[in-house]
Amino acid sequence: MNAWPELPLKEWQDTYDTLHLWSQMVGKTRLALAPMQNHWWQAALYVTSRGLGTSPMPYGDRALEIEFDFIDHNLVAGTSDGVVQKIPLIPQTVAEFYGRYVEVLRSIGIEVKLYPKPVEMENVIPFVDDRTHASYDADAAHRCWNALVQIDRVFKDFRGRFIGKCSPVHFWWGGFDLACTRFSGRRAPTHPGRIPNCPDYVMVEAYSHECSSSGWWPGGMGLDSPTFYSYVYPEPEGYSQAKIQPTEAEYHPVMQEWILPYDAVRTAPDPDRHLFDFLQSTYVAAATTGKWDRKALER
């Protein structure tokens, strides 16, 4: 196994698109069942030793946990009273997967109301009607998870250096990205929203306080390969002109984010150091230009 595998977007775009939609069903289940937390943290998924999972969600006096297993390639739903059901991860339409998913939940005694459309995406199709997306390349899904395992590990090291308010390292199924967010402690201007197929109040809650956020996603918006990103909200003057490491990093004026190609990290002599330098230097740029109280926030 290559710890930092190749993952060119064009080679698994169809699988990525389908898996993104499947993950939204699981994420919406977590959103429906888990108690509200600040910035919607209760809705995220987490990298696990086998894939991506919800962690336990309350359902009455039971707990439900759902995991995408990218080793044996099953979606596994299990409850605290020992009931387990699986859906094979194989090529199948979103409509077929959704029907099987709802059936599995009902078979283990879980009734949950899910918003039946994707969010944070353009041109959405209701899950029950989507017979367009039906790809699943098991090798590509496995390599994506392998990459997430490494990234999750480095992100957690980075997170541990901060003693201020900080998110978990978590996976956002809306954007299909792994992220970690640090906060200054001050409130932020009201976020304007305007995210495709996402109510503005979602972004208002997510960005209620000043933050510096870093993450990774498989690519898109003109980027044909996986990419690390980092941004600050609200963006202070001078942030986009900061000196960021490593040298492959650049500021994307459309996305208003610093970006670093995953391949630059993957092929570096020390991938961990290469990625950590990006995370640290973009945070320092955000905290310095934003006048954060670094002495009180950093370990």
Side-chain angles (χ1 to χ4, degrees), residues 192-234:
R194 307 194 199 106
I195 303 300
N197 291 294
C198 182
D200 287 348
Y201 69 79
V202 174
M203 293 298 121
V204 170
E205 168 62 31
Y207 295 98
S208 62
H209 291 71
E210 291 180 348
C211 64
S212 172
S213 188
S214 297
W216 174 93
W217 96 112
M221 295 182 65
L223 301 174
D224 58 5
S225 62
T227 306
F228 294 98
Y229 64 79
S230 189
Y231 63 88
V232 59
Y233 181 79

Side-chain angles (χ1 to χ4, degrees), residues 41-237:
W41 291 351
Q42 85 285 359
L45 306 179
Y46 305 95
V47 175
T48 72
S49 61
R50 299 187 69 87
L52 287 170
T54 60
S55 79
M57 301 172 286
Y59 189 81
D61 60 357
R62 305 162 73 202
L64 167 68
E65 189 165 3
I66 302 172
E67 181 181 39
F68 285 96
D69 179 345
F70 294 128
I71 295 177
D72 289 337
H73 299 284
N74 292 302
L75 181 75
V76 183
T79 61
S80 55
D81 50 359
V83 181
V84 177
Q85 291 284 0
K86 299 178 181 181
I87 301 174
L89 298 180
I90 56 176
Q92 58 190 303
T93 68
V94 168
E96 290 171 329
F97 187 89
Y98 184 67
R100 289 168 181 162
Y101 182 69
V102 172
E103 182 181 341
V104 159
L105 292 182
R106 287 176 178 164
S107 73
I108 58 178
I110 306 294
E111 292 286 343
V112 59
K113 184 176 181 180
L114 305 180
Y115 182 67
K117 296 180 181 179
V119 296
E120 299 186 42
M121 303 172 70
E122 301 275 8
N123 305 316
V124 299
I125 306 171
F127 295 135
V128 294
D129 298 326
D130 189 344
R131 294 173 178 80
T132 300
H133 301 96
S135 298
Y136 187 76
D137 179 338
D139 176 68
H142 186 81
R143 282 186 285 116
C144 177
W145 166 69
N146 282 344
L148 288 171
V149 168
Q150 304 309 316
I151 298 161
D152 180 74
R153 176 176 54 78
V154 178
F155 277 21
K156 285 175 177 172
D157 183 17
F158 173 69
R159 185 187 187 279
R161 314 297 179 95
F162 194 75
I163 60 175
K165 176 181 170 182
C166 187
S167 77
V169 179
H170 48 199
F171 183 87
W172 290 111
W173 42 270
F176 206 85
D177 58 320
L178 188 72
C180 181
T181 305
R182 293 176 169 185
F183 293 82
S184 73
R186 302 186 298 246
R187 293 199 66 88
T190 301
H191 195 281
R194 307 194 199 106
I195 303 300
N197 291 294
C198 182
D200 287 348
Y201 69 79
V202 174
M203 293 298 121
V204 170
E205 168 62 31
Y207 295 98
S208 62
H209 291 71
E210 291 180 348
C211 64
S212 172
S213 188
S214 297
W216 174 93
W217 96 112
M221 295 182 65
L223 301 174
D224 58 5
S225 62
T227 306
F228 294 98
Y229 64 79
S230 189
Y231 63 88
V232 59
Y233 181 79
E235 183 177 311
E237 184 178 354

